[in-house]
Amino acid sequence: CFVPGGDYREFIAARAAEKGDSIAAGVFVGPDGREMGPHQGIANYTIGQRRGLGVAGGEPLYVRKVEAATGQVTLGRKQDLSARGFRAGDFNGFGPEWTLRKCQVQYRYRSAAKPAMVERFPNGEVEVSLLEPGHGIAPGQSAVFYDGNRLIGGARIREVIAPPRAP
């Protein structure tokens, strides 16, 4: 949303080219762990993305994980992106003391805030327990906390807490 022209892919490619670099291609891996074909570089994909993947899987697939070290983009079904919460650091809260607090949390641009319980720890980290399942939560993204329309805090997502797998 802060990139001139609104296209972050074009922005990243232009900056890489200015430095004499290119964005390395990689491999898509499907929900079953098998390779599904090449992709155009991890800079082109975000957690939860469905459009523009250029790969067919017989059902709608979403970006589930992006691995910078290997260049691998793991795809999954929508339910594979489901989470019950997340852990975040660099917490900055406003208002009364934060220990355990019910509020609304927004963790994706243009998504609705969801009800959550937020527990703050002395080291400045928080654990966010969503009161309804969340989808597409991504490490590195910001989480913003609200009380109604009033901003009451923010943090950087570090780890997604997935729901337990069915037996």
Side-chain angles (χ1 to χ4, degrees):
C1 66
F2 299 106
V3 174
D7 186 347
Y8 76 89
R9 293 170 185 95
E10 187 176 291
F11 177 83
I12 291 170
R15 295 311 169 272
E18 286 174 6
K19 295 182 176 195
D21 292 331
S22 62
I23 298 171
V27 176
F28 283 118
V29 174
D32 60 2
R34 294 185 200 170
E35 287 189 13
M36 296 184 71
H39 64 67
Q40 301 301 310
I42 62 169
N44 294 299
Y45 306 99
T46 59
I47 305 286
Q49 178 180 340
R50 179 173 173 222
R51 291 184 167 177
L53 299 178
V55 64
E59 62 184 311
L61 294 174
Y62 300 79
V63 174
R64 192 172 120 218
K65 188 175 185 182
V66 177
E67 296 181 55
T70 63
Q72 183 173 298
V73 175
T74 303
L75 305 178
R77 298 169 200 89
K78 186 166 186 167
Q79 64 266 27
D80 296 334
L81 273 71
S82 181
R84 62 181 174 86
F86 56 89
R87 291 181 187 87
D90 303 324
F91 175 76
N92 189 6
F94 314 109
E97 183 62 32
W98 283 73
T99 50
L100 184 63
R101 184 171 190 170
K102 185 174 182 180
C103 63
Q104 301 283 317
V105 61
Q106 184 176 2
Y107 53 83
R108 285 185 69 85
Y109 176 66
R110 291 191 180 173
S111 68
K114 292 188 171 283
M117 291 298 297
V118 179
E119 183 175 5
R120 181 175 187 210
F121 299 101
N123 64 358
E125 292 189 354
V126 292
E127 183 166 307
V128 178
S129 298
L130 298 172
L131 301 181
E132 55 189 58
H135 291 82
I137 301 170
Q141 295 290 345
S142 293
V144 184
F145 306 101
Y146 295 95
D147 181 3
N149 290 328
R150 190 170 61 99
L151 174 68
I152 58 173
R156 177 89 47 202
I157 299 171
R158 290 195 175 149
E159 178 185 355
V160 178
I161 302 171
R165 294 232 177 234

